[in-house]
Amino acid sequence: MVYWRKWLRILHRDIGYIAAGLTVIYAISGIAVNHVADWNPNYKIQNFESQIEPIADSLIGKEGLTQSILDQIGEKGKVKDVVYPDSSTMSIFVEDNTITVHLKTGLVEEEKVQSRTGIRETNFLHLNVPKKLWTWVADIFAVALLFLAISGLFMIKGKQGITGRGAWLTALGILIPVVFLIVYYYMD
Amino acid sequence: MNKALYALLTILFITAAAFGFGSKKYGKPLTLKEKTKVSVILANPKNYVGKKVLVEGTIIAVCAKRGCWMELASDKPFQKIKVKVNDGEIVFPMEAKGKKALLEGEIYEISYTKEEAIEHAQHLAEE
C-alpha cells in the first residue's frame, strides 16, 4: 500500500467518526427544512374554533372579560397579555396558545403551538441561529466534509477505485446536480 | 395614500440591532436609550423613515415558518407595526407571542402596487 494512502485512510476514518454526530444533525434538519412549504419544521400548530356569545361593546376592556372568555373555552393557562389589534378583535395570549376573539360574532379561534422537540434543536444548529462560536464549528465541519468527500475518492486503488468503477459512480454523482441545474435553473 | 394603508406599509427593519423580551436578548446590544412610542411613529411615519428608533410593545404575531418577521402592538389600541429582519439574522421564536419586546431598528417605507400588495398578502397568508 502506498504510504500516503495509509494516512489518508486513517484521517478519513477518524475525521469520519468525529463528523458522524454532526452529519446526523444536519441530515435530519436538512430533510425537515427541505419540506418547509408543506409543514412547519419547528412547531406543531393546531387550530381550533369555538363559539361563545358575542361581546357587548360595554364589556370591551372591562376587568373580568378575559377570564370569562377563558372559562367559557376551558383554557386554564396563565395570561401573558391582552391586546385589541383592531376594533372588532381581541387577542388573548396564554402560554402556548393564542386566542383570537371576534367580538361581534363570538367566534373564538385558538392557535396552540408546540415545539417539535429534537427536530427544532437540529434546525437551530443547522441554520446557524446561535451564530457566535458555532459559525466556526459549522465552517470546520464543512471543511471536514470536503476532506471526507475528496479523501473518499482515493481510499481504494484498483478496479473498484477512482481509476475504475469509482470514476463512473463519481461522474454519476456530479451529473445528477448538473442535470437538475440545466433543467430547473437554465431552461426553466 | 391614506393613513391606514401607509401605516400598514411602515416597517421597522432590524439590521444591526437587538431586541429582548423577558430575560432573552437577540442580535446586537441596544444602542438607543430613549424610546419612541409606536403610536407617535404611525401618526407621522414619513418623519421617521430612515431613522433608527427604540420601541416597546407586545408581540402579537410571529412568522411561524422562518421567524423572520413579527408584529408589535402599539401603545394605542387598534394599531400595530411590522418588524422585519434579514432572513436568518435573528429568528423570532413563536413563544415570544404575548410577551413584551424592546427593540431597535430603522423605519422603512415599502411601497406596493395593488398587485404587489395582493401578492404580499397571499405570501403572508401561506406562512
Side-chain angles (χ1 to χ4, degrees), chain A residues 8-188:
Chain A
L8 197 70
R9 283 186 171 188
I10 290 168
L11 285 171
H12 186 96
R13 180 196 67 200
D14 288 353
I15 292 172
Y17 284 140
I18 295 168
L22 279 165
T23 306
V24 169
I25 287 171
Y26 276 66
I28 290 170
S29 172
I31 294 168
V33 299
N34 211 18
H35 297 274
V36 71
D38 305 312
W39 80 319
N40 190 312
N42 290 315
Y43 305 98
K44 185 180 178 187
I45 301 172
Q46 294 174 292
N47 294 290
F48 304 95
E49 279 187 6
S50 55
Q51 189 67 45
I52 60 171
E53 286 295 312
I55 309 297
D57 288 349
S58 58
L59 292 175
I60 294 171
K62 290 278 168 66
E63 198 179 331
L65 174 62
T66 302
Q67 194 54 54
S68 164
I69 292 168
L70 295 180
D71 289 344
Q72 288 181 71
I73 63 171
E75 173 61 62
K76 295 182 173 30
K78 187 185 171 198
V79 176
K80 292 194 281 188
D81 205 351
V82 178
V83 170
Y84 290 87
D86 58 64
S87 58
S88 61
T89 313
M90 176 187 189
S91 295
I92 306 170
F93 299 97
V94 179
E95 210 64 51
D96 301 327
N97 193 6
T98 299
I99 300 150
T100 304
V101 185
H102 297 274
L103 301 166
K104 293 190 189 329
T105 62
L107 176 68
V108 178
E109 295 171 324
E110 290 180 71
E111 184 190 73
K112 294 192 177 184
V113 177
Q114 277 181 296
S115 182
R116 293 190 194 276
T117 307
I119 296 176
R120 187 178 172 192
E121 283 80 356
T122 65
N123 296 336
F124 180 81
L125 295 175
H126 179 199
L127 301 176
N128 192 16
V129 177
K131 309 275 190 305
K132 302 173 189 164
L133 196 59
W134 181 254
T135 304
W136 289 97
V137 175
D139 283 351
I140 292 166
F141 174 58
V143 172
L145 284 183
L146 197 61
F147 172 79
L148 291 174
I150 293 168
S151 62
L153 299 176
F154 304 101
M155 296 259 292
I156 297 170
K157 61 179 179 179
K159 277 198 287 186
Q160 304 298 329
I162 192 66
T163 55
R165 183 168 166 265
W168 292 104
L169 292 174
T170 304
L172 178 66
I174 293 169
L175 195 63
I176 289 170
V178 169
V179 168
F180 276 88
L181 274 174
I182 291 168
V183 175
Y184 289 145
Y185 188 79
Y186 291 108
M187 291 171 62
D188 196 17

Side-chain angles (χ1 to χ4, degrees), chain B residues 2 6 8-9 32 36-37 40 67 74 79 86 90 99 115 122:
Chain B
N2 67 46
Y6 195 92
L8 187 71
L9 301 177
L32 298 176
T36 306
K37 286 184 175 178
V40 172
S74 171
Q79 289 183 341
N86 288 324
I90 297 173
K99 292 185 177 175
E115 290 74 24
Q122 284 172 338

Side-chain angles (χ1 to χ4, degrees), chain B residues 42-84:
Chain B
L42 296 180
N44 207 342
K46 282 205 168 183
N47 285 356
Y48 290 90
V49 171
K51 289 183 181 165
K52 200 186 255 192
V53 292
L54 179 67
V55 297
E56 190 175 36
T58 298
I59 299 166
I60 57 172
V62 176
C63 170
K65 283 203 169 167
R66 293 181 177 84
C68 62
W69 60 261
M70 62 182 187
E71 288 178 343
L72 202 69
S74 171
D75 48 293
K76 286 187 177 174
F78 319 148
Q79 289 183 341
K80 61 187 175 186
I81 190 166
K82 189 124 192 165
V83 178
K84 182 79 179 80

